[in-house]
Amino acid sequence: MESVIQKLREEDLSRGYCFMVTDRELLEDEAYYLYPDGSIKIEQVNLKNIELPRVVLKVLNKRESELVKRKHAILK
C-alpha cells in the first residue's frame, strides 16, 4: 500500500499538483498538503463541500517540513 501511495505522490508532484497527507494529530478537517516546490502547508478542507477552496492555516518552516516528511516516510 505504501508503495502505491508513494507512486501517486510522485506522479502528482511531478505534474505540478499538490498532494494531501492526512495525520491523526491534525483536526478532522485539516491535512498537510505537499507542493512540488517542496513546501508543506496545513490546510483546512470543507468536508461538506470539497469544491470550496481550501484555507491555508499554516505554512510549515523547513524544520517542521522535515519532521512531517520523516514521520510520513516522504523521501523528497
Side-chain angles (χ1 to χ4, degrees):
M1 181 71 161
E2 187 63 36
S3 64
V4 172
I5 293 171
Q6 183 177 352
K7 182 179 179 193
L8 289 171
R9 182 176 56 238
E10 290 172 4
E11 287 175 0
D12 282 357
L13 294 173
S14 70
R15 291 181 179 148
Y17 300 116
C18 60
F19 189 84
M20 182 180 78
V21 176
T22 59
D23 189 305
R24 291 183 179 180
E25 291 182 17
L26 296 175
L27 296 177
E28 182 178 316
D29 62 345
E30 296 176 357
Y32 292 113
Y33 279 83
L34 284 62
Y35 285 86
D37 67 0
S39 65
I40 300 177
K41 300 174 185 177
I42 297 175
E43 299 185 22
Q44 186 176 40
V45 179
N46 185 326
L47 298 175
K48 293 181 183 177
N49 184 353
I50 61 170
E51 298 298 318
L52 291 176
R54 298 183 308 268
V55 176
V56 176
L57 301 174
K58 181 176 182 176
V59 178
L60 276 58
N61 63 36
K62 187 175 180 175
R63 178 170 159 39
E64 292 167 327
S65 294
E66 290 303 319
L67 291 172
V68 169
K69 289 176 183 179
R70 190 174 312 128
K71 178 178 182 180
H72 292 281
I74 299 168
L75 305 176
K76 290 185 177 184

